Amino acid sequence: MIHIDNIVKRYHTRQGTSTVLNGVSLQVKPGEKIGILGRNGSGKSTLIRLISGAERPTSGAITRSMSVSWPLAFGGAFQGSLTGLDNLRFICRVYGTASDDKISYVQEFSELGKYLREPVKTYSSGMRARLAFAISMVIEFDCFLIDEVISVGDARFHEKCQRELFEKRSDRAMIMVSHEAHNIREHCQRACVIRDGRLHEFPNIDAAYDYYNNNV
């Protein structure tokens, strides 16, 4: 279970304090799949980062009783001076799992070839995203956080990501941010809308989209 209790997230800017999320609460049950809708800059990706633990809320609390992934395809936690392979080993140590039996999968899935043994700081953004997704698939989580991950790579790589995530791990909880309606309709059981820093919950996806199309 994930309990998000009245979280607030503020950032300090040159124009003053900006409140991105203001009193957001949500519960995610094991195996539940929830879509998050909202216009650009509404706080969708911020909420995903807060749930992952990559950032901390200004106030409020997030309680996790199941393991939660980092945002898929997010390579911001990589150590740039380390190779892709060394980053894999480091992340596996952090999560208390062996890495030797995961190297061949990551190399094959990421399609990095010899670059897996080169420093991550030499990677393009697409290469970093492919490495991050591949590592996410070798560490088993109860809940996957998806921030437009299915747009990573070309159509063939896109299909490979779909199979790994939505078919092989269909029993896991997922929280998905996507601008494409068919993704949330296809993969989620319900959806929420972020508007003016508030999270609006709806009993079904059609109701969420009706609100989103008419009010956001």
Side-chain angles (χ1 to χ4, degrees), residues 6-185:
N6 199 34
I7 61 169
V8 174
K9 183 62 179 178
R10 298 188 179 98
Y11 292 100
H12 296 291
T13 70
R14 293 181 179 180
Q15 288 74 39
T17 300
S18 174
T19 301
V20 178
L21 299 173
N22 189 13
V24 168
S25 297
L26 181 67
Q27 289 190 1
V28 184
K29 300 175 183 177
E32 188 172 26
K33 296 168 179 61
I34 299 175
I36 306 292
L37 301 167
R39 63 175 177 79
N40 289 336
S42 63
K44 303 184 302 298
S45 295
T46 298
L47 179 59
I48 289 287
R49 291 195 300 271
L50 292 172
I51 296 171
S52 75
E55 294 188 34
R56 296 179 62 84
T58 305
S59 63
I62 300 175
T63 305
R64 309 167 189 85
S65 58
M66 55 185 176
S67 60
V68 180
S69 77
W70 55 84
L72 296 193
F74 173 68
F78 288 148
Q79 296 296 318
S81 59
L82 298 180
T83 67
L85 181 58
D86 286 337
N87 271 282
L88 166 63
R89 288 171 172 152
F90 175 75
I91 291 169
C92 285
R93 283 200 300 271
V94 169
Y95 284 92
T97 186
S99 61
D100 289 346
D101 61 342
K102 299 174 177 61
I103 294 173
S104 60
Y105 174 90
V106 169
Q107 184 150 17
E108 179 181 356
F109 191 93
S110 67
E111 303 175 3
L112 289 172
K114 65 182 180 181
Y115 291 102
L116 187 63
R117 290 169 170 79
E118 296 295 328
V120 168
K121 64 184 177 184
T122 66
Y123 288 12
S124 68
S125 59
M127 292 166 68
R128 291 170 70 100
R130 295 203 306 273
L131 177 63
F133 190 95
I135 294 176
S136 299
M137 295 297 101
V138 296
I139 300 175
E140 295 296 340
F141 296 102
D142 299 318
C143 179
F144 286 95
L145 305 178
I146 307 166
D147 191 353
E148 297 290 1
V149 66
I150 45 184
S151 63
V152 172
D154 57 20
R156 182 187 51 78
F157 192 83
H158 171 99
E159 291 176 5
K160 188 163 66 169
C161 293
Q162 291 265 359
R163 288 194 301 272
E164 286 294 320
L165 186 58
F166 298 120
E167 294 179 17
K168 296 183 180 180
R169 292 161 181 81
S170 60
D171 60 331
R172 313 300 168 82
M174 297 180 187
I175 304 173
M176 176 190 291
V177 168
S178 179
H179 294 295
E180 299 183 25
H182 70 89
N183 288 328
I184 288 180
R185 289 188 187 279

